[in-house]
Amino acid sequence: HELNETLEEVRAIKRQQDGDYFLTSLLLQPLNGNFARSDRIELVSLVRQKKTFDFKNRQSELGGDLVAAYNLLLDGRPFIAFVNGHCMGKSMQGAGGAIVLGTVFKSFVNRTRVQPALAEKFPERWLKECALELHEVFAGFDGTMSTSAVIGLVDEETGVLYMINAEHPWSVLYRDGKAIFLEERSAM
């Protein structure tokens, strides 16, 4: 009898934990995805989070990975702004970091859309200011939350890529059946 009671308590705790996971995964959903549209640039991303779980007959996943892309005008030119990041920590801590990363990045993009001073920046300057803002936000957590990320802009007219790699694994360009590391190529 005691064993059954203990087992039911464990199941109740697991249901509550899965409910917390599910709510957190819902908070991350509107920040994680390709929100950019382009006739010239094809964006494909795949995110698989570390933790998968079931909650009330719904499958979901939770973790610290985030990929987001948005359309943006800088000095009247169309760009695609993107971030590919990983926030450190187990499922909930990583997801919390991904929510912060996605929120700050989306906020910076949206401010650029409505503030002429930001929208008139050169791509290099915009990237630097975005990276500094993200750094300041994460520095405010005093080491309890951290992230690595690639932040970039693609000029839709020329195809030129501007990017900053902030301690993230190297980016891979796959073109014509051949894969190369972008950071390795840019060092040539």
Side-chain angles (χ1 to χ4, degrees), residues 131-177:
L132 286 173
E133 184 163 320
L134 285 163
H135 172 75
E136 286 176 24
V137 168
F138 278 92
F141 291 107
D142 210 17
T144 60
M145 187 179 289
S146 61
T147 188
S148 67
V150 172
I151 307 160
L153 292 166
V154 179
D155 185 322
E156 286 193 68
E157 293 176 359
T158 64
V160 171
L161 169 68
Y162 302 85
M163 64 181 253
I164 294 175
N165 186 328
E167 299 296 321
H168 203 60
W170 281 6
S171 302
V172 175
L173 172 65
Y174 183 74
R175 180 186 290 161
D176 300 327

Side-chain angles (χ1 to χ4, degrees), residues 41-58:
I41 307 291
E42 181 183 4
L43 295 165
V44 179
S45 67
L46 172 66
V47 176
R48 289 279 183 252
Q49 301 289 11
K50 181 170 179 72
K51 173 79 175 158
T52 59
F53 60 92
D54 293 316
F55 179 70
K56 294 189 176 182
N57 297 322
R58 294 189 210 166

Side-chain angles (χ1 to χ4, degrees), residues 13 27 48 88 118 143 162:
I13 291 169
L27 294 172
R48 289 279 183 252
M88 289 23 155
L118 275 174
Y162 302 85

Side-chain angles (χ1 to χ4, degrees), residues 10 29 52 93 129:
V10 169
Q29 274 180 355
T52 59
Q93 184 182 6
E129 290 181 15

Side-chain angles (χ1 to χ4, degrees), residues 97-114:
I99 290 169
V100 171
L101 174 62
T103 300
V104 173
F105 186 74
K106 185 176 183 176
S107 173
F108 198 81
V109 167
N110 285 337
R111 269 186 285 128
T112 302
R113 290 174 175 162
V114 297

Side-chain angles (χ1 to χ4, degrees), residues 72 74 79-82 122-124 126-127 151-155 160-163:
L72 186 65
L74 291 177
F79 284 86
I80 295 175
F82 68 88
F122 289 113
E124 300 91 340
W126 187 92
L127 276 176
I151 307 160
L153 292 166
V154 179
D155 185 322
V160 171
L161 169 68
Y162 302 85
M163 64 181 253

